[in-house]
Coordinates of all heavy atoms in Angstrom, one line a residue:
G492 N -30.8 6.6 -6.0 CA -30.5 5.8 -7.2 C -31.6 4.7 -7.4 O -32.6 4.6 -6.7
T493 N -31.3 4.0 -8.5 CA -32.2 2.9 -8.9 C -32.0 1.7 -8.0 O -31.2 1.6 -7.1 CB -31.9 2.5 -10.3 OG1 -30.6 2.0 -10.4 CG2 -32.0 3.7 -11.3
N494 N -32.9 0.6 -8.2 CA -32.8 -0.6 -7.4 C -31.4 -1.2 -7.6 O -30.8 -1.7 -6.6 CB -33.9 -1.6 -7.8 CG -35.3 -1.1 -7.4 OD1 -35.4 -0.4 -6.4 ND2 -36.3 -1.5 -8.1
K495 N -30.9 -1.2 -8.8 CA -29.6 -1.8 -9.0 C -28.5 -1.0 -8.2 O -27.6 -1.6 -7.6 CB -29.2 -1.7 -10.5 CG -27.9 -2.3 -10.9 CD -27.7 -2.3 -12.4 CE -26.4 -2.9 -12.8 NZ -26.1 -2.9 -14.2
Q496 N -28.6 0.3 -8.2 CA -27.6 1.1 -7.5 C -27.8 0.9 -6.0 O -26.8 0.9 -5.2 CB -27.8 2.6 -7.8 CG -27.4 2.9 -9.2 CD -27.8 4.3 -9.6 OE1 -28.8 4.9 -9.2 NE2 -27.0 4.9 -10.5
K497 N -29.0 0.7 -5.5 CA -29.2 0.4 -4.1 C -28.6 -0.9 -3.7 O -28.1 -1.1 -2.6 CB -30.7 0.4 -3.8 CG -31.4 1.8 -3.9 CD -32.9 1.8 -3.6 CE -33.5 3.1 -3.8 NZ -35.0 3.1 -3.6
R498 N -28.8 -1.9 -4.6 CA -28.2 -3.2 -4.3 C -26.6 -3.1 -4.2 O -26.0 -3.7 -3.4 CB -28.6 -4.2 -5.4 CG -30.0 -4.7 -5.2 CD -30.2 -6.0 -6.1 NE -30.0 -5.8 -7.5 CZ -30.9 -5.4 -8.4 NH1 -32.1 -5.1 -8.0 NH2 -30.5 -5.2 -9.6
A499 N -26.1 -2.2 -5.1 CA -24.6 -2.0 -5.1 C -24.2 -1.3 -3.8 O -23.2 -1.6 -3.2 CB -24.2 -1.2 -6.3
L500 N -25.1 -0.4 -3.3 CA -24.8 0.3 -2.0 C -24.8 -0.7 -0.9 O -23.9 -0.7 0.0 CB -25.8 1.4 -1.8 CG -25.7 2.2 -0.5 CD1 -24.3 2.9 -0.4 CD2 -26.8 3.2 -0.3
N501 N -25.8 -1.6 -0.8 CA -25.8 -2.6 0.2 C -24.6 -3.5 0.2 O -24.0 -3.9 1.2 CB -27.1 -3.5 0.1 CG -28.3 -2.7 0.5 OD1 -28.2 -1.8 1.3 ND2 -29.5 -3.0 -0.1
S502 N -24.2 -3.9 -1.1 CA -23.0 -4.7 -1.3 C -21.7 -4.0 -0.7 O -20.9 -4.6 -0.1 CB -22.8 -5.0 -2.7 OG -21.6 -5.7 -3.0
R503 N -21.6 -2.7 -1.0 CA -20.5 -1.9 -0.4 C -20.5 -1.9 1.1 O -19.5 -1.9 1.7 CB -20.5 -0.5 -1.0 CG -20.0 -0.3 -2.4 CD -19.6 1.1 -2.7 NE -20.8 2.0 -2.6 CZ -21.7 2.2 -3.6 NH1 -21.5 1.6 -4.8 NH2 -22.7 3.0 -3.4
R504 N -21.7 -1.8 1.7 CA -21.8 -1.8 3.1 C -21.3 -3.1 3.7 O -20.6 -3.2 4.7 CB -23.2 -1.6 3.6 CG -23.7 -0.1 3.4 CD -25.1 0.1 3.7 NE -25.5 1.4 3.7 CZ -26.8 1.9 3.8 NH1 -27.8 0.9 3.9 NH2 -27.1 3.1 3.8
M505 N -21.7 -4.2 3.0 CA -21.2 -5.5 3.5 C -19.7 -5.7 3.3 O -19.0 -6.2 4.2 CB -21.9 -6.6 2.7 CG -23.4 -6.7 2.9 SD -23.9 -7.2 4.6 CE -23.2 -8.8 4.7
N506 N -19.2 -5.1 2.2 CA -17.8 -5.1 2.0 C -17.1 -4.3 3.0 O -15.9 -4.6 3.5 CB -17.4 -4.6 0.6 CG -17.8 -5.6 -0.5 OD1 -18.0 -6.8 -0.2 ND2 -18.0 -5.1 -1.7

Side-chain angles (χ1 to χ4, degrees):
T493 63
N494 290 333
K495 183 178 180 181
Q496 290 170 329
K497 291 176 183 178
R498 288 196 299 270
L500 178 62
N501 289 331
S502 177
R503 281 197 299 272
R504 286 176 174 170
M505 294 298 294
N506 289 337

